[in-house]
Amino acid sequence: MKYRPDIDGLRSIAVLSIFLFHIDPSWVPGGYVGVDIFFVISGFLIGGIVHGQLSSGNFSIAHFYERRFQRIIPALFAMLLVIAGVGYLYLFPQIYADFAKSSISAALSVSNIYFWQTTKYFGLDGHSKPLLHTWSLGVEEQFYIVFPLMLWALFKLCPKRIPLIVAIVALLSFLLSVFGAYSSPNGTFYLLPTRAWELLLGYLLVLMPKDVLRDGPARMALALLGALGILFAFIFYDSETPFPGLAAVPPCLGAALIIATGGWGPTPVSRLLALKPFVWVGLISYSLYLWHWPLIVLLREAVPIDYFTPWQGVGVLVAGLVLGYLSWRFVEQPFRTGGFGRRKIFVGTAAGAALISALCLVVIAGNGLPNRFDPKVARMAGTISYTGHTAYPYGTCFVEEFDLAKATRDPCLEPDANRPNIVIVGDSHAEHLWYGLDARMGDIHFIPATISGCPPRLHPLPRDLDRCRAPLDFVFRQYLPSRAGDIVLLAGNWKAEDLPRVGQMIDWLKQHRLRVVLVGPVVRYKAQTAKLIALSYLQNDPLLPDRFISLREGPIDKDFAALARAKGISYFSAYRALCPDKCMRIAANGMPLQFDMTHLTDEGSLFMADRLAPVIRAELDRAAAKK
């Protein structure tokens, strides 16, 4: 197949969009579609090579895998071994053990299956997984186990029907992807059956009749349309976009149009992509892709932060380009041009996979080798994976998922005739209060009418998730007007712009003769609380976590306190409860009070309940006095 610099340029757009998205999603909100562009390119190039060899009768499956291993394995294995060494020095035990598991899966080309079972790609838990990006390599390698054999069989059995059969398989994969984007989003994102159509789309370009794009003006218009499709996805998609499914069509079709039109001759798009800076990044794109995410994760673990400042982000981009070039120049190129025999390549691949697996099994068996750290550090680091399932009544009321039919008959929403009833209304920042209040104040029935990820408001905003609208409507239009509780405890992940809407909510609740206790925002950290505490122990720097406290919650707390005074309702400052003078982060048993950047642990919920209880009891006394 003739070399095309514009395809290397398209590779550069794909890898840079992914890199920028991972540095800061606000830079290129839909940058993750770069992976889909890579799939289309791969289907076109590798599919074209296999098709050409089968057409000429010189296809060899052994030679095909020899070339794949020579292209993919050296840089991948080098990255895995380097990160294993660096991780030994810096990664906390649970993160290191998880890295070891994902490293084995990456070496065996099944990391997409591993992450399907363990990690949401857009979730915060992925921020500490250095090999999360290798899921796409798993998809590709699984595809190239099946695809050459399928194509070989089609050439033998029905060569004239190849376009039709491939198109049907691609269509079935696409329909599965469309359905799965909503019914099973995690599996649809990670697994081959719902991604195969993207690679097959690239191969279908090889089968396209050669005279379709002969007309110059039409070809240029289609190339521009393809570029606009990719740009549309970059700008208007984000982590909430159901993906892949229908949303994958603009970037995939856009990449296909650019490849197809550029093959007939220059277009404005192909000329732009063929510029030397784009071609250079395209040439190192594989190594750059391999290194960009581990670099980001390791820096976040060491600094620690969840998102970089703009200048830090630029520095990470430059560092990634340097690492990508070094890997391309000193690992990729020597192995691709070194003239290694087939036996050495296969044996070397097997030996490398065995070595990596053996090293990682030692790490896994040793639970991440906690003896690398002081016991105090290791114990605190052991709480990093805390998820709060004890503090949250998962699967009941409105936490995480909402089922209206279930909610209307859920016993946890039923008032108790023998105890005062207090309805907790809000999102997960209201929900994390439930455990402590229920445990500390057994004479009161706390009803968690809460919806995770859905800030409470009377009138949903356009940006609110669809899944929030029905439960919010149920809480405010049906449940609360029924006077199910004596008091409403209103809490949420408040932002400054919420103030007017919270005021309207308070007025509405008072109009319905409901007493209100407003709970302000908790202290927010810029990184995971347990990780900050562990690092403060490791570096013997007790003030380290204080430097990572967000500055926005303090002013919000004061504004909400002023609002409560103006509305004549009780207010509880969760912020001041945690930071009365010096911020408190650790419970008496050594557990952190907060587990991610904001949410309370079990101990934190109990801590908060002890301080919130007098406010609630005073409000109940006032309510009783008015009866």
Side-chain angles (χ1 to χ4, degrees), residues 571-583:
Y571 181 73
F572 176 72
S573 174
Y575 188 93
R576 292 299 165 195
L578 287 165
C579 294
D581 179 20
K582 176 170 88 168
C583 288

Side-chain angles (χ1 to χ4, degrees), residues 263-279:
W264 270 93
T267 68
V269 175
S270 68
R271 286 194 184 98
L272 177 65
L273 293 175
L275 293 176
K276 287 185 177 179
F278 288 122
V279 172

Side-chain angles (χ1 to χ4, degrees), residues 69 165 201 204 213 266 315 317 387 423 428 454 480 546 574 586:
F69 289 168
I165 293 172
L201 176 61
L204 286 171
L213 298 173
L317 179 63
T387 59
V423 183
S428 59
C454 300
L480 291 177
D546 290 324
I586 305 170

Side-chain angles (χ1 to χ4, degrees), residues 236-534:
F236 294 105
Y237 291 5
D238 59 25
S239 59
E240 298 293 338
T241 304
F243 201 86
L246 285 172
V249 172
C252 289
L253 190 58
L257 288 173
I258 290 172
I259 293 169
T261 54
W264 270 93
T267 68
V269 175
S270 68
R271 286 194 184 98
L272 177 65
L273 293 175
L275 293 176
K276 287 185 177 179
F278 288 122
V279 172
W280 181 80
V281 174
L283 287 172
I284 68 167
S285 59
Y286 174 59
S287 279
L288 178 57
Y289 182 77
L290 283 179
W291 280 100
H292 85 282
W293 182 244
L295 173 66
I296 290 171
V297 170
L298 291 172
L299 287 173
R300 283 176 175 164
E301 292 298 309
V303 172
I305 49 176
D306 275 293
Y307 295 107
F308 301 102
T309 66
W311 280 112
Q312 287 172 333
V314 171
V316 172
L317 179 63
V318 172
L321 289 168
V322 171
L323 279 173
Y325 171 76
L326 293 174
S327 174
W328 173 79
R329 175 66 180 82
F330 296 106
V331 182
E332 274 196 75
Q333 288 299 98
F335 277 94
R336 291 179 70 181
T337 59
F340 296 95
R342 180 176 299 168
R343 185 173 181 278
K344 287 184 178 179
I345 292 171
F346 286 160
V347 171
T349 298
L355 172 63
I356 290 168
S357 297
L359 292 173
C360 290
L361 286 172
V362 171
V363 175
I364 296 166
N367 296 315
L369 308 180
N371 292 336
R372 295 175 291 137
F373 299 99
D374 181 273
K376 185 179 180 182
V377 175
R379 183 169 185 266
M380 180 55 64
T383 68
I384 288 174
S385 61
Y386 182 95
T387 59
H389 279 75
T390 306
Y392 297 73
Y394 279 89
T396 62
C397 298
F398 309 124
V399 178
E400 283 205 323
E401 300 295 336
F402 178 74
D403 181 338
L404 184 58
K406 177 186 175 185
T408 56
R409 64 176 187 271
D410 198 311
C412 74
L413 292 175
E414 290 294 324
D416 187 335
N418 300 315
R419 291 184 292 173
N421 293 281
I422 295 180
V423 183
I424 305 174
V425 174
D427 53 22
S428 59
H429 284 236
E431 184 62 46
H432 67 186
L433 300 171
W434 173 84
Y435 171 77
L437 293 171
D438 185 67
R440 290 288 197 249
M441 305 177 75
D443 58 320
I444 299 172
H445 180 46
F446 290 95
I447 303 172
T450 52
I451 312 106
S452 180
C454 300
R457 37 178 148 254
L458 288 170
H459 308 290
L461 298 176
R463 70 170 183 267
D464 286 341
L465 300 177
D466 289 340
R467 70 175 182 83
C468 296
R469 297 176 184 275
L472 284 172
D473 185 72
F474 174 78
V475 169
F476 286 103
R477 308 302 171 199
Q478 298 181 51
Y479 187 70
L480 291 177
S482 71
R483 298 297 304 279
D486 300 291
I487 293 174
V488 169
L489 192 69
L490 186 61
N493 182 19
W494 304 125
K495 298 177 174 59
E497 60 265 27
D498 292 326
L499 201 66
R501 287 188 287 277
V502 173
Q504 293 171 3
M505 247 187 308
I506 293 169
D507 291 340
W508 184 90
L509 291 166
K510 291 172 72 175
Q511 288 169 10
H512 286 77
R513 302 175 65 188
L514 290 163
R515 303 186 71 85
V516 184
V517 174
L518 179 62
V519 179
V522 297
V523 176
R524 176 183 295 272
Y525 291 90
K526 297 177 184 177
Q528 194 173 0
T529 314
K531 189 182 298 179
L532 290 171
I533 298 170

